[in-house]
Amino acid sequence: MSKAFTKEDDEIPEQVRRVRPSSDLPPGAVNYMTAEGASRLRDELEELVLSAVGSGGKAKVGRRQERIAELERVLASATIVPRQEPTPDEALFGATVTVRLKSGKLANYRIVGVDETKLEEGWVSWVSPLAKALIGAQVGQRVLLGEEVEIVEIAY
C-alpha cells in the first residue's frame, strides 16, 4: 500500500505555539491599565471560567483555556492607574480627549492601556504615536495627528 494512504501521526512534527508575552510591551515596560479596563477583563475572565464548566468541542474548549490563561497573565502584569483627583488640566493616561479636525468634525480619543485598546471606539494605547501626541496637551492647544487638530475638551 502506498504511504500516501496511511495515517502516520508519529511523523508529523509537534506544533509549537508561541506564547504571547503579556501585553506585547517591550521588556521592562510597565503594563498600565485603567481601573475600568481591569474590571472589564476580570468580568470576561470570570465569565470564561464559569462557562468552562459547560460543554463545547475540543477546539472551543482549547481557545477558551488559552483566553483564560492570557487574561490571567495580563491582569497579573497590570499596574492599575487610579483616577486623579483633582482632575488635571492636561491630557494624561485615562483621559478622553475631544479634538476638532480641520473639517470641523469632532473626534474623541481615550488614552488607555495596551490591553484595553479598541480602535473602533477611539480607545488608543498610551504607547501609540497618537496618544503620545495627545499626552500633556491642554484645551485650546493644537497638536499634530496626521493633520493639525485643536484640543476642545479633556474629560476623565
Side-chain angles (χ1 to χ4, degrees), residues 40-77:
R40 276 191 303 278
L41 293 180
R42 276 190 223 100
D43 290 346
E44 180 185 350
L45 177 60
E46 184 178 321
E47 187 176 310
L48 285 169
V49 168
L50 291 174
S51 70
V53 177
S55 63
K58 265 185 152 181
K60 186 176 182 179
V61 169
R63 284 190 303 272
R64 188 181 309 138
Q65 293 298 348
E66 286 176 8
R67 182 64 179 156
I68 287 171
E70 178 183 11
L71 288 170
E72 288 172 339
R73 279 193 308 273
V74 166
L75 288 166
S77 71

Side-chain angles (χ1 to χ4, degrees), residues 2 18 29-33 44 57 75 87 103 128 131 137 141 143:
S2 168
R18 181 176 83 81
V30 179
N31 184 19
Y32 293 117
M33 186 176 292
E44 180 185 350
L75 288 166
T87 56
S103 66
S128 70
Q141 186 176 342
V143 296

Side-chain angles (χ1 to χ4, degrees), residues 103-120:
S103 66
K105 292 184 179 181
L106 299 179
N108 294 310
Y109 300 102
R110 182 161 188 227
I111 304 168
V112 297
V114 295
D115 295 303
E116 303 174 81
T117 303
K118 292 183 182 180
L119 296 178
E120 63 279 359

